[in-house]
Amino acid sequence: MKRTLVAGQFGTDKNQIYLDNYERLFSDIQNEKITLLELGIFRGESLLLWENYFSQGTIIGVDIHASGVANKSSRIFEFEGYQQDTDFLDTVAREAAPEGFDIIIDDASHIGDISKITFWHLFDNHLKPGGIYVIEDWRTGYWDKWVDGARYKKAKESNIIRPCIYECAEKCLNFTKTNLKGGRMKQTIVSCLGKVKKASYKNRFPSHDFGMVGFVKELVDELGIDMITSPERGSTVPQQQPRFKRMEIGPGQVFIIKSDDSELSGMIR
Ligand SMILES: C[S@@+](CC[C@H](N)C(=O)[O-])C[C@H]1O[C@@H](n2cnc3c(N)ncnc32)[C@H](O)[C@@H]1O
């Protein structure tokens, strides 16, 4: 039987855009024996939603305070503890999902440093290959009043000066090549101007990097890890393959699909 996710169902505050995204990703596995971990239980409404949606799923919640909804179902389990306590997370995984989680949703602290510890620990140790990790409400990093957020300020652009330097170096280079007679002096000037021109291309794009926003932007580097560690690109460490198969960022949610077994095999991590 096909069930759909509807905002307000069981009292959850997850909006319809969030739920439509979940539906798109989860509908194929709706009737399978999945194991779902949600960090952040609050009143347990989302645990009831998942229990109803995944007809054969085991639903596990983690929060500083349990809600008591586990008493209403034999398929819901609650654990009390902090999401950043990695020993506690190992205990939860050992007791509730020794073979790993299929889906992990982080809807707990929404604090960058804390979510980062949780993410890498659960992703590396307890999310199944091919599993899905969701980070909710990453845009708290734009909120000035949020504990690690800050109001968005457009970063100062260095792009205005760079094209000028480039253009100037290019003109001087052309002038030197056509007007100076060959010799050591000409060679040195051409080489220097060439270096200035090249350096003017190496541009950084500074961007907002507070709290969850900074954490999410950092994750993008994982998709380039094979380039970062490529011996052909000058890396001295063994080359690694991305642990992410795919990363999708929406307004409020980030979805990360873990690489599957064949992609992960041979990785030294
Ligand atoms: C937004 S609510 C969760 C709502 C729930 N997922 C839902 O959709 O109905 C956030 C919850 O995270 C919990 N929380 C905050 N910081 C936490 C931490 N460091 N470790 C574990 N839980 C935490 C809070 O106690 C709160 O119940």
Side-chain angles (χ1 to χ4, degrees):
M1 192 180 78
K2 183 155 171 48
R3 288 161 302 279
T4 46
L5 293 166
V6 180
Q9 228 178 0
F10 301 98
T12 178
D13 69 349
K14 293 194 196 301
N15 65 42
Q16 197 58 51
I17 295 170
Y18 279 26
L19 295 177
D20 287 347
N21 281 325
Y22 283 133
E23 185 92 52
R24 182 167 52 83
L25 280 170
F26 298 162
S27 62
D28 284 351
I29 52 170
Q30 192 179 9
N31 295 314
E32 290 180 18
K33 284 190 175 165
I34 59 98
T35 313
L36 180 150
L37 168 66
E38 179 151 10
L39 304 151
I41 297 173
F42 191 42
R43 290 192 295 250
E45 289 141 346
S46 56
L47 300 186
L48 292 170
L49 179 88
W50 298 129
E51 190 239 16
N52 177 63
Y53 186 74
F54 292 105
S55 58
Q56 301 196 66
T58 302
I59 312 300
I60 299 120
V62 156
D63 201 299
I64 304 162
H65 310 289
S67 72
V69 292
N71 299 328
K72 296 184 185 169
S73 164
S74 58
R75 289 195 288 115
I76 298 181
F77 301 88
E78 292 189 287
F79 290 84
E80 272 186 352
Y82 286 89
Q83 72 168 127
Q84 64 271 37
D85 178 348
T86 54
D87 290 339
F88 161 67
L89 294 177
D90 287 341
T91 306
V92 173
R94 199 169 45 243
E95 288 182 16
E99 284 169 19
F101 299 103
D102 297 281
I103 299 167
I104 299 176
I105 299 169
D106 182 355
D107 184 23
S109 68
H110 307 304
I111 294 172
D113 281 339
I114 291 179
S115 306
K116 179 175 170 175
I117 294 169
T118 311
F119 174 79
W120 282 116
H121 188 74
L122 288 175
F123 185 88
D124 275 343
N125 301 295
H126 302 298
L127 183 66
K128 286 183 188 169
I132 303 171
Y133 196 108
V134 188
I135 300 165
E136 281 196 4
D137 301 341
W138 62 275
R139 297 181 298 175
T140 52
Y142 295 115
W143 296 352
D144 211 16
K145 292 205 170 132
W146 193 252
V147 55
D148 63 348
R151 182 186 292 276
Y152 178 79
K153 274 199 209 106
K154 206 169 178 340
K156 279 203 182 96
E157 300 267 354
S158 57
N159 305 17
I160 308 155
I161 302 169
R162 284 176 185 279
C164 294
I165 297 173
Y166 175 81
E167 205 184 311
C168 193
E170 174 95 327
K171 279 184 182 157
C172 293
L173 204 55
N174 288 341
F175 180 85
T176 311
K177 280 179 182 166
T178 33
N179 295 304
L180 276 196
K181 283 210 182 93
R184 249 239 168 98
M185 174 71 93
K186 183 174 177 177
Q187 262 179 18
T188 314
I189 295 173
V190 167
S191 154
C192 283
L193 288 170
K195 281 180 189 154
V196 171
K197 199 176 129 182
K198 209 171 161 194
S200 71
Y201 277 130
K202 298 230 180 265
N203 196 9
R204 298 194 79 141
F205 291 83
S207 70
H208 188 87
D209 56 4
F210 284 85
M212 293 295 284
V213 176
F215 163 50
V216 168
K217 288 183 180 176
E218 228 181 56
L219 291 176
V220 175
D221 286 334
E222 182 62 24
L223 294 160
I225 199 73
D226 49 335
M227 294 295 147
I228 295 167
T229 57
S230 162
E232 284 166 31
R233 311 272 162 201
S235 166
T236 51
V237 299
Q239 190 169 24
Q240 296 158 9
Q241 292 307 312
R243 282 169 281 183
F244 302 171
K245 189 186 191 78
R246 200 156 53 81
M247 176 171 172
E248 185 183 312
I249 307 176
Q253 291 159 302
V254 180
F255 303 91
I256 293 157
I257 320 295
K258 189 170 178 172
S259 299
D260 59 33
D261 269 337
S262 59
E263 291 153 328
L264 288 170
S265 65
M267 283 177 56
I268 317 162
R269 287 205 227 176

